[in-house]
Amino acid sequence: MKEGITFSDVLLVPKRSTVSSRKNVDISGRFSRGINLKCPIVSANMDTVTEAEMAIAMAQAGGLGIIHRFLTIEEEAAQVAKVKRTENVIIEEPYTVSPRDTIASARDLMRRKEVGGLLVVAEGRKLVGVLSERDIQFHEDGSAQVKSVMSSKLVTARPGITLDQAQKVLAEHKIEKLPVVDANGILRGLITAKDIKKKKLHPDASQDAKGRLLVGAAVGVVGDFMDRCAALLSAGADVLVLDVAHGHTDHVIEAVEKIKKRWSSAELVAGNVATFEGGRDLIEAGADGVKVGVGPGSICSTRIVSGAGVPQLTAVMDCAKAAAKRGVPVIADGGVRDPGDITKAMAAGASSVMVGSLLAGTDESPGLMVVRGGMKYKLYRGMASLTATLSRRITETGVTRRIEDEEAAEVVAEGVESMVPFRGRASEVVHQLAGGLRSGMSYCGARTIAELWSKAEFIRITPAAWAESLPK
Ligand code: XMP
């Protein structure tokens, strides 16, 4: 019988190292064939971990967030769109009003879209003015037209302007917004001082070719999942994550084939699997990344309830063998309890690591904050827990209703509800985790993840050795 091992069964043997500073260690990894990350940490697609706010923080830190799928199609697509609008080199479709619109409607649009200014365009998207909050702040009577208050003295740029050039123009004219117009005066985009500042603050941010933050979005394999894929892709999702507890099924393999047939250039990660065969079959079906982990998660009870699963380090090693031959990255999903587990997962062959509990306690997670005994916590629950399953049933029907005891008793939960300590900002947590990975790589004498794969040597340890490893 094969033996399976996990993170606390091993340590990495320190090696003679030529790495003089941890700053020289490059932790860049991959989430899928086409998605490279300067920091290979990904926030889990769970309803107490990743919505737009978390995805923004993760991408700004050089990682990635995967929006969970327990939302309506429109809601999930809106979360994706929110991330894509956050950091732009150039906003291609800035919010606009017509000169004949009322001040009240412009004010309403600014409030809804949370922006401090609008561009004013006439027929054919010809730019005729700029409207800022300042222009309308004392116009209590909102019935006047936008054209009566907008500023029509315009400073504009031509398409193709670089960020540095744009920054100079903004500084020279002491303005915050620089509309981009073509030779005919037609609006082609907008560059804002805010976006330039954000870009400089996050030099490692994960970005697409247009300078927008990267974001992934989860989908299932039943019902209207193809409609969901279409909506998420058109909202700008950079990668779809087909996420099912048991990913090595005909159902999932067929869904991968179907999605790749319809959108051959879309990045698609599929899972979860925990064996060589599982990884191989998903890749052969067309997956661009394989998510690995059956039951290691901190809120999982799959192994206890069903008796099935594979210890996570073995699962990652086996899937990585299947994936390496085909040039497809493996994502180690779940079971990361300590920063060192990330180094171990990467050393075992993963190209990135998905994290739930360690990020669930941050400001950016959508989980509820609770205070117990003077300490702050955030709620964190497995997606197959009783409460997550029941809330999903309510969301699916779209009608708020009472769940009777009998219905609750029918659910066979494979996850639990818990609370995790409040940990402050996600960027700080990611910084600590990335620091641990850098340090672990330097102990292994590895400057890159590829070097880590070839140089890392694991040593099996006893429970006493693990106890010795823990701070007392
Ligand atoms: P961590 O350990 O980072 O794990 O909290 C997060 C991962 O756990 C998986 N997950 C579940 N697994 N029952 C399970 O068996 C569940 O209810 C459940 N919810 C999430 C998922 O892979 C996640 O990324």
Side-chain angles (χ1 to χ4, degrees):
M1 196 188 299
K2 182 171 164 157
E3 194 181 28
I5 55 168
T6 193
F7 300 124
S8 48
D9 289 318
V10 298
L11 286 171
L12 287 158
V13 179
K15 291 284 174 74
R16 178 168 176 159
S17 177
T18 54
V19 182
S20 54
S21 160
R22 284 167 196 173
K23 281 194 207 113
N24 300 334
V25 173
D26 178 3
I27 61 170
S28 305
R30 282 200 304 161
F31 184 69
S32 64
R33 279 185 210 269
I35 304 251
N36 299 316
L37 303 174
K38 291 206 176 114
C39 171
I41 300 174
V42 181
S43 65
N45 44 292
M46 299 171 71
D47 69 355
T48 47
V49 182
T50 312
E51 288 182 359
E53 219 185 318
M54 177 66 79
I56 291 166
M58 292 304 295
Q60 285 174 336
L64 184 70
I66 311 298
I67 307 287
H68 70 90
R69 64 185 166 92
F70 304 106
L71 296 164
T72 62
I73 293 180
E74 295 71 28
E75 284 165 347
E76 191 179 354
Q79 294 288 323
V80 168
K82 196 167 167 190
V83 182
K84 295 310 285 181
R85 280 192 81 91
T86 301
E87 246 177 57
N88 276 304
V89 172
I90 169 160
I91 302 166
E92 285 183 336
E93 294 199 5
Y95 299 121
T96 57
V97 280
S98 132
R100 287 190 303 277
D101 283 341
T102 62
I103 290 177
S105 67
R107 185 178 282 136
D108 183 50
L109 184 63
M110 283 188 199
R111 210 191 46 242
R112 274 189 290 119
K113 303 294 182 188
E114 296 173 20
V115 292
L118 298 169
L119 299 179
V120 189
V121 291
E123 286 72 38
R125 285 184 76 75
K126 197 167 167 61
L127 183 71
V128 292
V130 175
L131 185 74
S132 77
E133 248 164 2
R134 254 175 296 143
D135 298 325
I136 57 174
Q137 61 187 335
F138 298 122
H139 286 263
E140 308 289 322
D141 171 22
S143 61
Q145 289 187 337
V146 163
K147 67 177 173 202
S148 65
V149 287
M150 72 185 192
S151 149
S152 40
K153 229 180 83 204
L154 298 173
V155 180
T156 60
R158 284 289 162 82
I161 186 169
T162 67
L163 266 200
D164 286 340
Q165 288 167 338
Q167 193 178 345
K168 278 198 196 116
V169 180
L170 290 165
E172 196 180 310
H173 295 273
K174 298 195 178 72
I175 50 173
E176 291 281 314
K177 293 192 162 69
L178 183 62
V180 178
V181 295
D182 65 17
N184 302 317
I186 307 297
L187 179 65
R188 296 290 176 212
L190 174 69
I191 297 173
T192 71
K194 208 160 116 196
D195 282 325
I196 294 182
K197 276 185 239 156
K198 277 196 219 155
K199 278 244 128 35
K200 304 231 152 150
L201 270 181
H202 308 292
D204 288 338
S206 309
Q207 304 172 353
D208 63 18
K210 291 180 182 162
R212 302 175 303 177
L213 293 177
L214 294 185
V215 61
V219 294
V221 292
V222 288
D224 53 9
F225 76 98
M226 290 298 275
D227 296 339
R228 190 173 287 264
C229 292
L232 295 171
L233 290 170
S234 74
D238 299 283
V239 54
L240 297 176
V241 178
L242 210 163
D243 187 58
V244 176
H246 184 17
H248 195 192
T249 60
D250 291 352
H251 225 64
V252 173
I253 290 168
E254 281 156 21
V256 170
E257 287 166 350
K258 206 166 160 189
I259 294 172
K260 286 302 281 191
K261 191 164 169 213
R262 172 105 165 258
W263 296 282
S264 60
S265 60
E267 292 286 314
L268 177 65
V269 164
N272 276 19
V273 291
T275 59
F276 178 93
E277 293 76 14
R280 178 199 61 199
D281 292 353
L282 290 184
I283 294 168
E284 278 174 4
D288 301 298
V290 175
K291 203 148 77 73
V292 177
V294 175
S298 57
I299 35 48
C300 298
S301 57
T302 294
R303 294 181 189 168
I304 305 307
V305 171
S306 71
V310 176
Q312 184 66 346
L313 203 69
T314 298
V316 171
M317 285 175 167
D318 289 351
C319 288
K321 273 186 210 129
K325 285 187 201 150
R326 298 160 175 93
V328 170
V330 153
I331 304 105
D333 174 20
V336 170
R337 288 166 168 77
D338 303 301
D341 296 344
I342 295 185
T343 322
K344 293 174 188 175
M346 299 295 283
S351 293
S352 53
V353 176
M354 181 173 264
V355 176
S357 76
L358 294 184
L359 288 165
T362 60
D363 276 325
E364 289 85 348
S365 77
L368 213 63
M369 174 91 84
V370 286
V371 180
R372 287 275 164 86
M375 301 280 286
K376 283 183 181 171
Y377 298 87
K378 286 192 98 170
L379 293 187
Y380 176 47
R381 63 181 184 185
M383 292 317 308
S385 63
L386 176 67
T387 58
T389 308
L390 293 178
S391 10
R392 200 149 57 233
R393 287 193 186 174
I394 296 174
T395 333
E396 270 159 16
T397 58
V399 184
T400 311
R401 63 189 173 88
R402 207 185 126 75
I403 299 271
E404 300 301 336
D405 293 350
E406 296 75 37
E407 188 175 353
E410 267 174 28
V411 175
V412 181
E414 291 196 11
V416 298
E417 295 83 2
S418 73
M419 287 189 314
V420 290
F422 176 64
R423 292 178 207 269
R425 301 200 65 77
S427 59
E428 284 157 22
V429 172
V430 173
H431 176 77
Q432 290 297 323
L433 298 178
L437 175 57
R438 275 203 182 85
S439 170
M441 287 171 65
S442 79
Y443 273 107
C444 294
R447 288 164 194 277
T448 62
I449 298 300
E451 269 186 35
L452 180 68
W453 291 339
S454 65
K455 291 190 173 176
E457 184 193 339
F458 284 110
I459 182 167
R460 279 289 293 274
I461 60 170
T462 60
W466 180 245
E468 179 192 65
S469 311
L470 299 171
K472 301 288 171 316

mmCIF file of all heavy atoms in Angstrom, residues 93-115:
data_model
loop_
_atom_site.group_PDB
_atom_site.id
_atom_site.type_symbol
_atom_site.label_atom_id
_atom_site.label_comp_id
_atom_site.label_asym_id
_atom_site.label_seq_id
_atom_site.Cartn_x
_atom_site.Cartn_y
_atom_site.Cartn_z
ATOM 1 N N GLU A 93 -13.049 52.519 -21.316
ATOM 2 C CA GLU A 93 -14.431 52.995 -21.399
ATOM 3 C C GLU A 93 -14.777 53.806 -20.172
ATOM 4 O O GLU A 93 -15.478 53.346 -19.275
ATOM 5 C CB GLU A 93 -15.376 51.804 -21.569
ATOM 6 C CG GLU A 93 -15.122 51.162 -22.893
ATOM 7 C CD GLU A 93 -16.246 50.287 -23.376
ATOM 8 O OE1 GLU A 93 -17.310 50.239 -22.726
ATOM 9 O OE2 GLU A 93 -16.038 49.659 -24.418
ATOM 10 N N PRO A 94 -14.267 55.033 -20.119
ATOM 11 C CA PRO A 94 -14.554 55.861 -18.941
ATOM 12 C C PRO A 94 -16.051 56.188 -18.867
ATOM 13 O O PRO A 94 -16.749 56.141 -19.890
ATOM 14 C CB PRO A 94 -13.728 57.126 -19.179
ATOM 15 C CG PRO A 94 -13.347 57.111 -20.611
ATOM 16 C CD PRO A 94 -13.469 55.729 -21.134
ATOM 17 N N TYR A 95 -16.509 56.478 -17.667
ATOM 18 C CA TYR A 95 -17.926 56.825 -17.515
ATOM 19 C C TYR A 95 -18.168 58.201 -18.140
ATOM 20 O O TYR A 95 -17.395 59.131 -17.930
ATOM 21 C CB TYR A 95 -18.305 56.838 -16.032
ATOM 22 C CG TYR A 95 -18.098 55.499 -15.383
ATOM 23 C CD1 TYR A 95 -17.238 55.348 -14.293
ATOM 24 C CD2 TYR A 95 -18.755 54.364 -15.859
ATOM 25 C CE1 TYR A 95 -17.035 54.107 -13.707
ATOM 26 C CE2 TYR A 95 -18.562 53.132 -15.276
ATOM 27 C CZ TYR A 95 -17.701 52.998 -14.206
ATOM 28 O OH TYR A 95 -17.494 51.771 -13.630
ATOM 29 N N THR A 96 -19.258 58.296 -18.892
ATOM 30 C CA THR A 96 -19.530 59.555 -19.586
ATOM 31 C C THR A 96 -20.976 60.008 -19.358
ATOM 32 O O THR A 96 -21.837 59.211 -18.989
ATOM 33 C CB THR A 96 -19.345 59.391 -21.114
ATOM 34 O OG1 THR A 96 -20.210 58.344 -21.556
ATOM 35 C CG2 THR A 96 -17.915 59.049 -21.474
ATOM 36 N N VAL A 97 -21.192 61.298 -19.580
ATOM 37 C CA VAL A 97 -22.554 61.851 -19.612
ATOM 38 C C VAL A 97 -22.678 62.706 -20.865
ATOM 39 O O VAL A 97 -21.666 63.050 -21.481
ATOM 40 C CB VAL A 97 -22.860 62.738 -18.381
ATOM 41 C CG1 VAL A 97 -23.216 61.923 -17.164
ATOM 42 C CG2 VAL A 97 -21.725 63.699 -18.086
ATOM 43 N N SER A 98 -23.908 63.059 -21.168
ATOM 44 C CA SER A 98 -24.112 63.940 -22.322
ATOM 45 C C SER A 98 -24.254 65.369 -21.791
ATOM 46 O O SER A 98 -24.665 65.571 -20.648
ATOM 47 C CB SER A 98 -25.367 63.474 -23.068
ATOM 48 O OG SER A 98 -26.202 64.561 -23.341
ATOM 49 N N PRO A 99 -23.897 66.365 -22.615
ATOM 50 C CA PRO A 99 -24.010 67.760 -22.126
ATOM 51 C C PRO A 99 -25.445 68.119 -21.745
ATOM 52 O O PRO A 99 -25.676 69.033 -20.944
ATOM 53 C CB PRO A 99 -23.530 68.586 -23.319
ATOM 54 C CG PRO A 99 -23.275 67.663 -24.448
ATOM 55 C CD PRO A 99 -23.359 66.259 -23.968
ATOM 56 N N ARG A 100 -26.415 67.381 -22.300
ATOM 57 C CA ARG A 100 -27.822 67.700 -22.001
ATOM 58 C C ARG A 100 -28.369 66.946 -20.786
ATOM 59 O O ARG A 100 -29.473 67.171 -20.362
ATOM 60 C CB ARG A 100 -28.688 67.427 -23.234
ATOM 61 C CG ARG A 100 -28.492 68.473 -24.329
ATOM 62 C CD ARG A 100 -29.523 68.313 -25.424
ATOM 63 N NE ARG A 100 -29.472 66.972 -25.982
ATOM 64 C CZ ARG A 100 -28.614 66.590 -26.927
ATOM 65 N NH1 ARG A 100 -27.744 67.448 -27.406
ATOM 66 N NH2 ARG A 100 -28.633 65.364 -27.390
ATOM 67 N N ASP A 101 -27.568 66.035 -20.231
ATOM 68 C CA ASP A 101 -28.018 65.336 -19.019
ATOM 69 C C ASP A 101 -28.143 66.332 -17.874
ATOM 70 O O ASP A 101 -27.488 67.381 -17.878
ATOM 71 C CB ASP A 101 -27.007 64.249 -18.611
ATOM 72 C CG ASP A 101 -27.134 63.021 -19.490
ATOM 73 O OD1 ASP A 101 -28.182 62.868 -20.135
ATOM 74 O OD2 ASP A 101 -26.168 62.227 -19.532
ATOM 75 N N THR A 102 -28.933 65.974 -16.880
ATOM 76 C CA THR A 102 -29.061 66.884 -15.738
ATOM 77 C C THR A 102 -27.926 66.654 -14.746
ATOM 78 O O THR A 102 -27.324 65.585 -14.715
ATOM 79 C CB THR A 102 -30.392 66.645 -14.988
ATOM 80 O OG1 THR A 102 -30.362 65.306 -14.484
ATOM 81 C CG2 THR A 102 -31.590 66.868 -15.880
ATOM 82 N N ILE A 103 -27.685 67.689 -13.943
ATOM 83 C CA ILE A 103 -26.661 67.581 -12.902
ATOM 84 C C ILE A 103 -27.038 66.441 -11.949
ATOM 85 O O ILE A 103 -26.184 65.672 -11.500
ATOM 86 C CB ILE A 103 -26.531 68.921 -12.148
ATOM 87 C CG1 ILE A 103 -25.899 69.949 -13.097
ATOM 88 C CG2 ILE A 103 -25.731 68.777 -10.872
ATOM 89 C CD1 ILE A 103 -25.773 71.337 -12.535
ATOM 90 N N ALA A 104 -28.336 66.312 -11.667
ATOM 91 C CA ALA A 104 -28.783 65.263 -10.736
ATOM 92 C C ALA A 104 -28.406 63.880 -11.250
ATOM 93 O O ALA A 104 -27.905 63.044 -10.494
ATOM 94 C CB ALA A 104 -30.296 65.360 -10.521
ATOM 95 N N SER A 105 -28.597 63.660 -12.550
ATOM 96 C CA SER A 105 -28.280 62.315 -13.050
ATOM 97 C C SER A 105 -26.774 62.090 -13.076
ATOM 98 O O SER A 105 -26.303 60.979 -12.830
ATOM 99 C CB SER A 105 -28.927 62.056 -14.419
ATOM 100 O OG SER A 105 -28.340 62.887 -15.377
ATOM 101 N N ALA A 106 -26.002 63.155 -13.346
ATOM 102 C CA ALA A 106 -24.539 63.009 -13.320
ATOM 103 C C ALA A 106 -24.079 62.698 -11.895
ATOM 104 O O ALA A 106 -23.227 61.836 -11.673
ATOM 105 C CB ALA A 106 -23.880 64.290 -13.819
ATOM 106 N N ARG A 107 -24.682 63.396 -10.923
ATOM 107 C CA ARG A 107 -24.303 63.179 -9.522
ATOM 108 C C ARG A 107 -24.612 61.736 -9.132
ATOM 109 O O ARG A 107 -23.822 61.058 -8.470
ATOM 110 C CB ARG A 107 -25.086 64.163 -8.644
ATOM 111 C CG ARG A 107 -24.676 64.116 -7.183
ATOM 112 C CD ARG A 107 -25.427 65.137 -6.355
ATOM 113 N NE ARG A 107 -24.913 66.476 -6.505
ATOM 114 C CZ ARG A 107 -25.650 67.570 -6.669
ATOM 115 N NH1 ARG A 107 -26.964 67.481 -6.744
ATOM 116 N NH2 ARG A 107 -25.094 68.734 -6.778
ATOM 117 N N ASP A 108 -25.761 61.270 -9.595
ATOM 118 C CA ASP A 108 -26.180 59.906 -9.292
ATOM 119 C C ASP A 108 -25.178 58.894 -9.878
ATOM 120 O O ASP A 108 -24.776 57.937 -9.215
ATOM 121 C CB ASP A 108 -27.592 59.689 -9.866
ATOM 122 C CG ASP A 108 -28.102 58.320 -9.528
ATOM 123 O OD1 ASP A 108 -28.037 57.955 -8.340
ATOM 124 O OD2 ASP A 108 -28.532 57.593 -10.457
ATOM 125 N N LEU A 109 -24.750 59.130 -11.119
ATOM 126 C CA LEU A 109 -23.796 58.224 -11.770
ATOM 127 C C LEU A 109 -22.460 58.208 -11.009
ATOM 128 O O LEU A 109 -21.866 57.157 -10.777
ATOM 129 C CB LEU A 109 -23.571 58.653 -13.228
ATOM 130 C CG LEU A 109 -22.674 57.750 -14.074
ATOM 131 C CD1 LEU A 109 -23.285 56.362 -14.230
ATOM 132 C CD2 LEU A 109 -22.441 58.346 -15.466
ATOM 133 N N MET A 110 -22.012 59.416 -10.610
ATOM 134 C CA MET A 110 -20.740 59.479 -9.852
ATOM 135 C C MET A 110 -20.851 58.676 -8.569
ATOM 136 O O MET A 110 -19.920 57.971 -8.191
ATOM 137 C CB MET A 110 -20.411 60.934 -9.472
ATOM 138 C CG MET A 110 -19.871 61.764 -10.595
ATOM 139 S SD MET A 110 -19.327 63.352 -9.908
ATOM 140 C CE MET A 110 -19.267 64.348 -11.372
ATOM 141 N N ARG A 111 -21.995 58.790 -7.904
ATOM 142 C CA ARG A 111 -22.164 58.084 -6.633
ATOM 143 C C ARG A 111 -22.187 56.574 -6.873
ATOM 144 O O ARG A 111 -21.493 55.813 -6.205
ATOM 145 C CB ARG A 111 -23.460 58.544 -5.958
ATOM 146 C CG ARG A 111 -23.364 58.459 -4.439
ATOM 147 C CD ARG A 111 -24.681 58.650 -3.735
ATOM 148 N NE ARG A 111 -25.750 57.886 -4.336
ATOM 149 C CZ ARG A 111 -26.845 58.410 -4.887
ATOM 150 N NH1 ARG A 111 -27.021 59.711 -4.906
ATOM 151 N NH2 ARG A 111 -27.761 57.638 -5.431
ATOM 152 N N ARG A 112 -22.955 56.152 -7.877
ATOM 153 C CA ARG A 112 -23.085 54.707 -8.129
ATOM 154 C C ARG A 112 -21.756 54.087 -8.536
ATOM 155 O O ARG A 112 -21.416 52.993 -8.141
ATOM 156 C CB ARG A 112 -24.128 54.458 -9.215
ATOM 157 C CG ARG A 112 -25.546 54.379 -8.650
ATOM 158 C CD ARG A 112 -26.534 53.927 -9.700
ATOM 159 N NE ARG A 112 -26.747 54.946 -10.729
ATOM 160 C CZ ARG A 112 -26.477 54.776 -12.014
ATOM 161 N NH1 ARG A 112 -26.001 53.634 -12.453
ATOM 162 N NH2 ARG A 112 -26.689 55.744 -12.898
ATOM 163 N N LYS A 113 -21.009 54.815 -9.349
ATOM 164 C CA LYS A 113 -19.757 54.241 -9.856
ATOM 165 C C LYS A 113 -18.564 54.598 -8.974
ATOM 166 O O LYS A 113 -17.421 54.232 -9.291
ATOM 167 C CB LYS A 113 -19.477 54.734 -11.290
ATOM 168 C CG LYS A 113 -20.591 54.415 -12.275
ATOM 169 C CD LYS A 113 -20.728 52.920 -12.481
ATOM 170 C CE LYS A 113 -21.797 52.581 -13.496
ATOM 171 N NZ LYS A 113 -22.067 51.133 -13.565
ATOM 172 N N GLU A 114 -18.821 55.353 -7.922
ATOM 173 C CA GLU A 114 -17.760 55.744 -6.983
ATOM 174 C C GLU A 114 -16.597 56.442 -7.689
ATOM 175 O O GLU A 114 -15.427 56.081 -7.522
ATOM 176 C CB GLU A 114 -17.269 54.513 -6.200
ATOM 177 C CG GLU A 114 -18.343 53.900 -5.326
ATOM 178 C CD GLU A 114 -17.914 52.590 -4.683
ATOM 179 O OE1 GLU A 114 -16.706 52.330 -4.592
ATOM 180 O OE2 GLU A 114 -18.808 51.828 -4.271
ATOM 181 N N VAL A 115 -16.930 57.413 -8.541
ATOM 182 C CA VAL A 115 -15.888 58.208 -9.204
ATOM 183 C C VAL A 115 -16.118 59.689 -8.927
ATOM 184 O O VAL A 115 -17.239 60.120 -8.653
ATOM 185 C CB VAL A 115 -15.851 57.973 -10.743
ATOM 186 C CG1 VAL A 115 -15.386 56.573 -11.055
ATOM 187 C CG2 VAL A 115 -17.204 58.246 -11.390
#
